[in-house]
Amino acid sequence: MKKMTMVAFAATALLALSCSSDDNDTTTSAVAGKWKLTSVTTNEPFDGNGDGTESTDLLTEAGNCLPDSYLEFGSDGSFTSFMNVAPEEGATCEATTKEGSYELEYLSVKTEVEIEGETERITYQKSGNLLRINIPEFYQAEIDGNPVKLNAKMIFTKQ
């Protein structure tokens, strides 16, 4: 019986050690640094760049600006969001920088940013070196001649 208890204890200890990844790290070091926008997908395919091919990949369809976007988290709880977008096909890129704060809550990174006098709270889900967020009505596109508000799934990768 002692042998069985030792094996069970060893298995439990090994399992506990293997679960101690940065996924559930609640210290600022788990997210401090720069996170580049690496994926944006929409719920409906559309031809945003006018190349004749519809896609759900917004990084391709929205032009050259969006891939420059990133989030940056300071070890002091500060947060910066840099989004670079073109308001329409062929338009010049427009950069928007917002600053605020963040806190960690298990697998979530909760940010607060002041926008036009209002506090906006956005929560990202953390999984390893990825931050994910689903945004309803992220982008308005024209599909078959009709305006459609597209939902988006964004992924940021730690650099």
Side-chain angles (χ1 to χ4, degrees), residues 13-36:
L14 185 58
L15 182 61
L17 289 173
S18 68
C19 291
S20 64
S21 71
D22 69 345
D23 276 1
N24 58 8
D25 188 350
T26 56
T27 64
T28 56
S29 64
V31 295
K34 192 173 188 176
W35 297 72
K36 183 176 173 30

Side-chain angles (χ1 to χ4, degrees), residues 26-46:
T26 56
T27 64
T28 56
S29 64
V31 295
K34 192 173 188 176
W35 297 72
K36 183 176 173 30
L37 180 62
T38 53
S39 174
V40 183
T41 55
T42 59
N43 57 318
E44 295 281 337
F46 72 105

Side-chain angles (χ1 to χ4, degrees), residues 3 8-9 23 37 49 58 63 67 72 74 79 83 86 92 94 99 101 126 138 144 147-148 151 154:
K3 189 173 187 179
F9 176 76
D23 276 1
L37 180 62
N49 59 9
L58 197 56
E72 191 156 6
F79 167 73
M83 298 303 282
T92 303
E94 294 180 11
E99 295 181 347
S101 61
K126 184 178 180 303
F138 174 75
D144 298 328
V148 176
N151 301 330
M154 301 176 83

Side-chain angles (χ1 to χ4, degrees), residues 34-87:
K34 192 173 188 176
W35 297 72
K36 183 176 173 30
L37 180 62
T38 53
S39 174
V40 183
T41 55
T42 59
N43 57 318
E44 295 281 337
F46 72 105
D47 182 15
N49 59 9
D51 67 357
T53 303
E54 292 184 343
S55 169
T56 59
D57 180 359
L58 197 56
L59 287 182
T60 300
E61 297 300 334
N64 297 327
C65 305
L66 204 52
D68 295 336
S69 301
Y70 65 86
L71 306 173
E72 191 156 6
F73 298 91
S75 57
D76 61 353
S78 63
F79 167 73
T80 302
S81 168
F82 175 82
M83 298 303 282
N84 199 19
V85 297

